[in-house]
Amino acid sequence: MKPTLLVADDNTATLQLITLQLKNMGYQIVIAENGMNAWTLLKKSPKTYDTVILDRMMPGLDGLEVLSRMKNHEILKMVPVIFQTSMDGEENILEGFQAGVDYYLTKPYKKEILQATVKAALSTYLTHKSMQEAIRRTTHALTLMKTGLFEFRDMEEAQMLATLLAAVCPKPDKTAIGLWELLLNAVEHGNLEITYKEKSRLIEDDKWLIEMKRRMALPKNASKTVSVRFERSDNEIRFLIRDQGAGFNWKSFMEYSVERAFDPHGRGIQLARTTSFDRLEYTDPGNQVLAVIHR
């Protein structure tokens, strides 16, 4: 089934441009000519849409209000939202992030940036959705586990492990999202040493997965693993994640960043900290992180 995008903008020319730039990517595109129209479509069929592109400034119901309503809806709150805006002031960007915006596009934007951002949003959402469905099929026998030590190498194993461990947590859907982001970070930025700038370029060139597989096959990475220690007590659940990389500057990724607002990635750690865990603590140089859930 084709991923379905909802695009809301009161400017007909912008709607036509976005449709033209995305039409050959295999998406089903639904158009809304204003915010109220967008909300009506979303509320009527909340399970239909995989990503929403909203104009920040629309008459009547603006993009921020549509976003607010989505975040208060049980189903729509998980759908990624891309804001397209000409308002690039720090205050406006932070307001959007705090309201729940996932990605930003600034007008005018390049076709490549639009396509890369939409692809990144869809990939993240469909991965999270797949994990949530897997959680509901996971056996509850693991609820008996108090401690466990796990090792994995690649993205597929990371997703499987995140799904498995999240299933024994009080809020498995939210835990799975953050755990997946941390495990993926340990593989790509830790063991495989893909820098932030390199990932930005790879996503824009649509070569991220290719590069991940290439580096995974290099002899120097053949034996590298990520370890996850799981511990559960009466008061909390702890995940200690350690990769074999040289570490990274984790401090700059713990909060929202205006400088990274228009990048198609870079939100995973902040998302894990604010959405999935009660406490997130990195240990310098950045190749070990402790994620804690209070019970």
Side-chain angles (χ1 to χ4, degrees):
M1 183 182 298
K2 292 182 179 180
T4 300
L5 312 180
L6 176 65
V7 183
D9 198 305
D10 61 315
N11 187 306
T12 302
T14 300
L15 290 174
Q16 292 175 343
L17 178 62
I18 291 175
T19 301
L20 179 65
Q21 292 182 337
L22 295 178
K23 72 174 185 178
N24 294 324
M25 298 188 70
Y27 306 142
Q28 180 74 34
I29 301 176
V30 178
I31 296 299
E33 297 177 349
N34 54 62
M36 184 56 72
N37 185 203
W39 176 243
T40 299
L41 290 168
L42 288 165
K43 186 169 62 172
K44 181 179 179 181
S45 304
K47 295 183 179 180
T48 296
Y49 304 101
D50 300 302
T51 291
V52 176
I53 303 176
L54 292 175
D55 186 23
R56 172 66 173 82
M57 300 296 293
M58 292 184 286
L61 200 67
D62 67 5
L64 203 60
E65 178 59 28
V66 175
L67 172 65
S68 176
R69 295 187 181 191
M70 289 179 65
K71 293 305 176 183
N72 285 294
H73 190 283
E74 188 60 30
I75 297 173
L76 294 171
K77 65 183 180 182
M78 299 303 298
V79 177
V81 174
I82 301 171
F83 257 14
Q84 46 162 338
T85 181
S86 56
M87 300 170 60
D88 56 359
E90 180 174 345
E91 183 177 339
N92 293 317
I93 291 173
L94 289 176
E95 182 183 31
F97 275 140
Q98 290 164 358
V101 167
D102 298 283
Y103 301 89
Y104 265 102
L105 288 170
T106 184
K107 299 177 180 179
Y109 46 77
K110 295 194 302 180
K111 173 182 177 180
E112 293 78 13
I113 297 298
L114 170 65
Q115 292 178 343
T117 301
V118 170
K119 188 169 183 177
L122 278 170
S123 176
T124 299
Y125 176 63
L126 294 177
T127 297
H128 292 169
K129 192 174 179 180
S130 173
M131 291 172 66
Q132 290 166 5
E133 292 170 354
I135 285 170
R136 285 182 268 279
R137 298 193 301 267
T138 301
T139 176
H140 292 288
L142 282 176
T143 57
L144 303 175
M145 182 174 63
K146 293 293 185 180
T147 63
L149 180 62
F150 304 85
E151 288 188 349
F152 67 93
R153 288 193 67 246
D154 55 32
M155 291 188 301
E156 290 77 14
E157 292 175 348
Q159 183 175 338
M160 179 178 64
L161 183 57
T163 301
L164 184 72
L165 294 178
V168 303
C169 295
K171 296 180 180 179
D173 288 352
K174 288 187 176 182
T175 302
I177 291 172
L179 197 53
W180 156 249
E181 295 290 349
L182 296 179
L183 298 187
L184 178 61
N185 185 73
V187 173
E188 62 174 354
H189 297 307
N191 288 354
L192 301 185
E193 300 175 342
I194 296 176
T195 68
Y196 186 90
K197 288 184 178 180
E198 285 175 331
K199 184 172 182 179
S200 297
R201 176 178 52 79
L202 290 167
I203 290 177
E204 186 171 341
D205 294 340
D206 198 18
K207 294 180 179 179
W208 176 67
L209 283 176
I210 295 174
E211 181 63 10
M212 287 278 286
K213 292 178 180 179
R214 186 190 74 81
R215 295 200 187 195
M216 189 70 68
L218 293 176
K220 69 175 183 177
N221 295 324
S223 61
K224 286 184 179 179
T225 61
V226 177
S227 67
V228 181
R229 177 173 292 278
F230 170 88
E231 297 178 350
R232 181 171 55 183
S233 67
D234 293 338
N235 300 320
E236 61 185 22
I237 296 174
R238 300 161 61 93
F239 301 93
L240 184 63
I241 303 164
R242 185 198 298 267
D243 64 62
Q244 295 179 314
F248 72 110
N249 181 20
W250 54 271
K251 297 180 181 68
S252 63
F253 293 94
M254 295 289 278
E255 303 288 347
Y256 296 111
S257 169
V258 175
E259 290 75 18
R260 299 194 306 271
F262 300 97
D263 295 345
H265 69 107
R267 299 159 182 80
I269 293 174
Q270 189 277 329
L271 178 67
R273 187 183 68 80
T274 59
T275 302
S276 303
F277 302 106
D278 296 302
R279 194 166 87 247
L280 195 67
E281 298 177 356
Y282 272 90
T283 302
D284 284 330
N287 60 355
Q288 178 174 291
V289 60
L290 174 66
V292 180
I293 298 172
H294 297 156
R295 301 182 68 188

